[in-house]
């Protein structure tokens, strides 16, 4: 399938006149590929490979419609290699064996093979391992294409033998260039106002193939007057945002939301929250992360943050979508604008480590309950000071095991409510030093 498109205003010889517009605009040389100059230009990795006439195995990683298939095909042509494409979606081990056998036959005739594997992440780990001997002995030069993060989806052994090249989402300038090429080929302008043209580009969300499919729809309809943005919206649909709940897009957005909250940027936090929820993320997942954030990154600097996030969960469960999503937005904004402190988080980690390290040390006997006579006889509860009955409501007693020195896990900051807590701790420390109440 074509990804990016050609500069010439005439269809390629191999493409019939009734072929889809995206196919008729396929590039014929790497220089025609738009939006990926960082790879295909003279200083780019692909540009240098072509200049040297030598190609190493690579993984092309990028969003849909950015040129992975087209780049691989043109790369094979540029270095004089046989192009053998296969899709991991429709192929299995038997298909691979046939390709490897054919590649060996061509190698005997002096023809090198570029094996292009589309959606390579769809092959399982064992299938990916099957590529290794043929890549190592030079039977094929592997070019894999994936929309998923190779670090998560591809074997380490395969990654160690291939260079990962990242294709960028097409920006507005690259998409505008595709519109210009389409208009030159069809020989008439798009029936759009300038504002609608901008809206059309925005609707593609960086996907060149989607954009040209939309253009083809516009050219297929008899439109008397140029459409404005409202008319365009009524006629065409937007590209659905790329978002898999168990893949990198999901983790990238939740990371961006968390970092924006932590950085006290409510506008950015609300944006990433909207990105996730409008793409179909489970609202309760987002709420769980907000509840965790309220404890981990705000803590006692603003104890209301935890209450707000739990209230948002209750409101969402009561109202559902879309009404309940307003409560999620409210909790998001509260957390973003709250003072930040990880003192409780740090204290918890330190206390848990100390508990693991000290094992089963016995608390001091004076603070142990003595429900039986025997326990009283051996000293349980003896000498316990009931703090509310003391002068200052504070006895200053020791509550740590005898074999363990008192620890300081929690150190409140001077932000928000923790500033008051710091004052309380200082007050009790002074009473303890002075001998208690």
């Amino acid at each position: 399938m074509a990804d990016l498109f050609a500069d010439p205003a005439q269809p390629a010889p191999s493409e019939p006149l009734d072929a889809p517009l995206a196919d008729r605009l396929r590039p014929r040389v790497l220089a025609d590929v738009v939006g990926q100059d960082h790879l295909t230009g003279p200083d780019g990795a692909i540009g240098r490979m072509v200049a040297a006439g030598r190609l190493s195995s690579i993984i092309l990683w990028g969003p849909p419609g950015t040129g992975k298939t087209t780049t691989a095909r043109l790369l094979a042509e540029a270095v004089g290699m046989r192009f053998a494409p296969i899709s991991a979606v429709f192929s299995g081990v038997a298909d691979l064996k046939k390709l490897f056998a054919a590649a060996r036959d061509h190698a005997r005739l002096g023809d090198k093979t570029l094996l292009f594997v589309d959606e390579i992440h769809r092959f399982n780990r064992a299938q990916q391992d099957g590529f290794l001997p043929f890549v190592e002995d030079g039977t094929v030069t592997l070019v894999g294409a994936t929309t998923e993060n190779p670090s998560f989806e591809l074997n380490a052994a395969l990654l160690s033998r291939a260079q990962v090249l990242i294709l960028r989402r097409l920006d507005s300038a690259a998409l505008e260039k595709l519109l210009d090429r389409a208009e030159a080929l069809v020989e008439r302008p798009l029936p759009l106002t300038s504002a609608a043209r901008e809206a059309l580009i925005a609707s593609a969300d960086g996907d060149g193939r989607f954009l040209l499919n939309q253009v083809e729809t516009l050219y297929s309809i008899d439109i008397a007057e140029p459409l404005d943005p409202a008319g365009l919206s009524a006629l065409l649909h937007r590209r659905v945002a790329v978002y898999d709940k168990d893949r990198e897009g999901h983790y990238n957005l939740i990371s961006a939301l968390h970092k924006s909250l932590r950085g006290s940027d409510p506008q950015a936090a609300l944006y990433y929250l909207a990105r996730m929820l409008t793409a179909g993320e489970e609202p309760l997942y987002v709420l769980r992360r907000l509840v965790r954030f309220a404890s981990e990154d705000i803590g006692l600097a603003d104890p209301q943050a935890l209450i707000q996030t739990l209230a948002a969960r209750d409101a969402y469960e009561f109202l559902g979508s879309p009404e309940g999503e307003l409560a999620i937005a409210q909790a998001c904004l509260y957390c973003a604008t709250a003072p930040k402190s990880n003192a409780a988080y740090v204290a918890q980690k330190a206390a848990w480590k100390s508990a693991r390290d000290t094992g089963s040390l016995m608390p001091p006997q004076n603070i142990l309950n003595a429900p039986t006579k025997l326990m009283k006889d051996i000293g349980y509860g003896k000498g316990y000071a009931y703090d509310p009955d003391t002068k200052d409501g504070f006895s200053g007693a020791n509550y740590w095991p005898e074999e363990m020195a008192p620890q300081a896990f929690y150190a409140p900051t001077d932000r928000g409510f923790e500033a008051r807590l710091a004052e309380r701790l200082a007050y009790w420390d002074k009473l303890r030093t002075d001998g208690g109440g």
Side-chain angles (χ1 to χ4, degrees), residues 83 85 103 105 124 140 257 267 308 338 372 418 433:
F83 184 65
D105 291 340
N124 62 38
V140 298
L257 172 60
Q267 318 303 343
Q308 285 281 334
T372 69
E418 278 196 325
T433 301

Side-chain angles (χ1 to χ4, degrees), residues 191-192 214 217-219 221 223 227 229-237:
L192 302 174
Q214 298 283 69
T217 299
L218 288 172
Y219 277 134
I221 301 172
I223 301 173
L227 297 172
L232 178 68
S233 177
L235 183 63
L236 300 177
H237 63 285

Side-chain angles (χ1 to χ4, degrees), residues 363-422:
Q365 285 189 339
N366 66 304
I367 66 170
L368 302 179
N369 288 334
T372 69
K373 183 178 183 301
L374 174 61
M375 296 171 77
K376 289 180 180 178
D377 289 344
I378 60 176
Y380 278 33
K382 184 178 180 180
Y384 171 65
Y386 183 63
D387 289 73
D389 284 346
T390 64
K391 174 185 174 184
D392 296 306
F394 179 81
S395 67
N398 175 54
Y399 298 97
W400 294 89
E402 292 181 3
E403 303 91 337
M404 183 178 179
Q407 305 292 304
F409 301 128
Y410 177 55
T413 68
D414 59 358
R415 296 184 292 276
F417 184 69
E418 278 196 325
R420 295 178 60 187
L421 297 183

Side-chain angles (χ1 to χ4, degrees), residues 34-109:
V34 301
Q36 310 303 336
D37 291 346
H38 65 292
L39 295 178
T40 59
D43 297 326
I46 290 176
R48 291 196 301 269
M49 289 181 191
V50 172
R54 298 184 61 184
L55 179 63
S56 60
S57 291
I58 58 177
I59 302 296
L60 299 174
W61 173 28
T66 52
K68 297 183 290 296
T69 304
T70 294
T71 297
R73 175 176 57 82
L74 296 177
L75 183 56
E77 294 177 6
V79 296
M81 296 182 72
R82 171 176 167 267
F83 184 65
I86 190 171
S87 170
V89 176
F90 303 110
S91 307
V93 174
D95 301 294
L96 288 172
K97 287 181 177 178
K98 291 179 182 177
L99 281 171
F100 292 138
R104 279 183 169 158
D105 291 340
H106 280 274
R108 295 188 186 99
L109 301 174

